[in-house]
Structures are given as C-alpha cells and as structure tokens.
Amino acid sequence: MQLGMIGLGRMGANMVRRLMRGGHECVVFDLSADSVKQIAGEGATGSNSIDDFIAKLNQPRAVWIMVPAGEATESTVNQLADRLEPSDTIIDGGNSYFKDDARRALTLKPKGINYLDVGTSGGVWGLERGYCMMIGGPKETFEHLDPIFKTLAPGCGSIARTPGRENISGTAEDGYLYCGPSGAGHFVKMIHNGIEYGLMQAYAEGFDIFRNANSKELPEEIRYDLNVADIAELWRRGSVVSSWLLDLTAMALVEDPELKDYSGFVQDSGEGRWTIQAALEEAVPAEVLSAALYTRFRSRQEHTFAEKILSAMRKKFGGHVEPK
C-alpha cells in the first residue's frame, strides 16, 4: 500500500522505515532537504515541495502528518486541504488536542476529504518495537488503511493473552485500536499521556526516597546506602511494578548512577494539561495526575533527584533533551 509521510523527525522517519520493511511504498516530504535525501536513499520516494509530494501520490491519496502539534500541524492540514481531492485522507499522528481534530474533521467534510486522528506511542524505539496507535475518525477510512496500521503496530509478540479474551476479536491485541469518531483517538492518547505523567512521578519519588535513605538527618541505625541501579534491575524481574518505564529507568541508572548529565528540568508537552482540563470538564477527580503535572512546573524552579529520574525517562523513551 502507498502512504505519504510529511515530517521526518524522530518518529516520522522510523515509521517510514518500518512501513518499507513491511512492503509498503512511501512518498516523503520534510522542510529539511537532508532528511528527505536520507530516507530517499533508503528506498522512499522523496519530494521537494508539498505540490511535488502530492503529485507523486496515487489516488485516493493517504497523507500522514508527523510534525509538532499546534501551528505546524494546523498549517500543514490547511495546505493539504487546499490541494487534496474528495476521497483523499489526512492522518494526524502527532499529539494534537482532540477538540482540534473534531473541528478539522468538520471543516474537511464538505470537501470530501477524510480525516483520521492517530495517537501514536512508541517514541524512538518504535522502529523495532512497533507503535501503539489509538485511532479516531470515519470507521470505513480506518478499515481501508488497516494494512498500514497493522504494519506499524507491534503485533501480539510474546505478550501473553489476557485471560478471557480468547473469544474476543479485534485489533487491540495487535497494538492498535479504532476508538471512535473524530477526536477519539487523540482523546485516548491524551489520557494515556496523563497517566504516564503519574506513573513516571511515582517512580521518580520512590527513587528519590532511596537516594536520601542515607541522609545524615536520619538516625545512624536506619541509614541505608542503597544501590538504586540494582533496585531498578531487581524490580524488572517479577515485580508487580515492572514496566517499560522501569526498564528505561534501569537503563539510565546503569549509564549514569548519579544522573549527572541531567539537571532535573522537566518539560510537559501539553497532554498532561489537557487531561486535567478534561477531568475538570467532566467533574472527575484526578489528584495524582494533577500533582504530577504541577511537579513538572515546580521542576523548572528547583531540581531534585526525582526530577532527574523523570528527565532521564523522557530522554530514554522519546529522545526529549533538556533545554540548555
């Protein structure tokens, strides 16, 4: 199947690589000519402008946008809307706000252009591990592009089936899911990232307590000089708190036990704020997720070992680098 990809950053380029490995044809465009040249050298069809890009796609066209959420995505959608034709499809795989998806879908509908919002998780590891995808939009469009999603997704792999799902059909076990109409995909991804904030914060605070267990403020008989890297590794083996985030934490602590390369300045990319906003609109209490978001705000004023743990996890799963 053919797919057009706009945006060849950390995730976009690897998604193209994974699709080509799966036998799909990819046409690519990026504002960086070097990025286009690199991926074209690996087998993709490069293009030097939006118009050139669209001309190289077969109808009905499918265009995946993998650029930063906000103005970059809005501008790209608008440029495509002026050039694409009825039955073509725009796929936003970034971290857009779900209400923007609903608005864009309504705007594109009179033109006959389909719009899918695809919350995508996998970060810099997705090329090998695959991408978990949460998809919203017209169901028939999702079904038409199923071969693309199936190739990008992790598949069942070695993860044991959940007891009771033996007679339940669907794609969830393969790592991608049609969630509902426009905005539903990014809504589910938004909550996913809000939960991620809370999980990361819990690990970070726990390891901060370990690191301070030998504080001179404590009675000498209950001071413990703990090897936090070994504890992270221990918990990966059969513990109920094992997870991929813990795997990444263990990796970071082996590389740099004191996390000297991290200041503890922790950014937030928007989804945590939107999650709290949704909770407010629904009158749903979200104390843990709110506290995790506020801690990130505080990290920009004072830094603890916990913030360094958070920053290390962000770099490991998404390639996020602290600001200088």
Side-chain angles (χ1 to χ4, degrees):
M1 195 170 194
Q2 187 193 61
L3 181 78
M5 177 69 75
I6 297 179
L8 301 173
R10 287 191 301 259
M11 290 180 67
N14 278 345
M15 293 173 80
V16 168
R17 292 183 178 103
R18 188 171 174 91
L19 286 169
M20 291 193 298
R21 286 183 185 179
H24 299 282
E25 176 191 351
C26 292
V27 179
V28 300
F29 175 69
D30 191 277
L31 293 178
S32 166
D34 288 341
S35 296
V36 173
K37 184 178 179 180
Q38 169 69 38
I39 203 74
E42 298 176 36
T45 301
S47 50
N48 54 35
S49 69
I50 288 282
D51 290 324
D52 182 40
F53 169 80
I54 291 173
K56 290 175 176 175
L57 290 169
N58 303 325
Q59 292 181 285
R61 307 173 184 91
V63 179
W64 191 303
I65 303 172
M66 210 65 190
V67 301
E71 182 53 38
T73 295
E74 192 74 20
S75 173
T76 305
V77 169
N78 290 337
Q79 290 181 66
L80 291 171
D82 291 338
R83 293 166 170 82
L84 295 180
E85 300 177 67
S87 297
D88 289 346
T89 299
I90 296 174
I91 307 157
D92 177 11
N95 281 325
S96 290
Y97 188 36
F98 74 98
K99 292 183 180 180
D100 288 335
D101 294 311
R103 171 179 53 79
R104 290 175 191 144
L106 285 175
T107 301
L108 293 168
K109 189 172 183 179
K111 299 184 178 188
I113 299 173
N114 302 308
Y115 182 87
L116 292 179
D117 51 285
V118 182
T120 309
S121 181
V124 296
W125 301 84
L127 176 59
E128 301 301 332
R129 289 173 58 101
Y131 301 89
C132 176
M133 290 167 290
M134 297 140 261
I135 304 161
K139 191 169 186 180
E140 59 273 17
T141 306
F142 158 75
E143 291 171 344
H144 172 69
L145 292 170
D146 184 78
I148 295 293
F149 300 127
K150 193 172 187 65
T151 299
L152 287 172
C156 292
S158 59
I159 298 174
R161 298 194 75 179
T162 300
R165 291 196 66 94
E166 294 83 4
N167 297 316
I168 299 176
S169 61
T171 62
E173 287 184 310
D174 288 318
Y176 67 106
L177 181 69
Y178 175 74
C179 298
S182 295
H186 276 145
F187 183 84
V188 174
K189 178 59 161 51
M190 176 184 75
I191 304 304
H192 164 284
N193 284 25
I195 292 171
E196 178 184 292
Y197 280 33
L199 292 172
M200 292 172 71
Q201 187 63 35
Y203 283 127
E205 291 177 8
F207 281 98
D208 203 9
I209 296 169
F210 284 151
R211 188 170 185 272
N212 288 282
N214 64 348
S215 170
K216 293 180 180 178
E217 302 299 317
L218 294 169
E220 189 171 353
E221 67 271 18
I222 58 167
R223 291 181 202 166
Y224 306 113
D225 186 12
L226 300 169
N227 187 318
V228 292
D230 280 354
I231 293 171
E233 187 62 33
L234 168 72
W235 285 354
R236 294 182 64 223
R237 314 290 172 170
S239 165
V240 295
V241 299
S242 60
S243 72
W244 187 40
L245 287 172
L246 183 61
D247 295 346
L248 299 175
T249 301
M251 189 185 305
L253 289 170
V254 165
E255 295 170 357
D256 180 7
E258 296 297 318
L259 300 182
K260 293 176 183 176
D261 290 338
Y262 299 91
S263 71
F265 186 108
V266 186
Q267 293 178 304
D268 69 285
S269 51
E271 300 92 328
R273 302 185 190 205
W274 299 337
T275 298
I276 304 310
Q277 184 175 333
L280 290 170
E281 291 174 353
E282 298 170 15
V284 173
E287 295 96 331
V288 172
L289 306 189
S290 299
L293 176 64
Y294 296 150
T295 299
R296 294 195 177 198
F297 295 163
R298 191 206 65 212
S299 78
R300 298 159 204 174
Q301 300 170 352
E302 55 178 297
H303 308 315
T304 67
F305 190 73
E307 270 91 52
K308 292 184 178 184
I309 287 280
L310 285 173
S311 192
M313 279 190 272
R314 292 186 84 242
K315 183 178 180 183
K316 287 297 179 187
F317 71 69
H320 303 290
V321 179
E322 291 180 343
K324 298 295 183 183

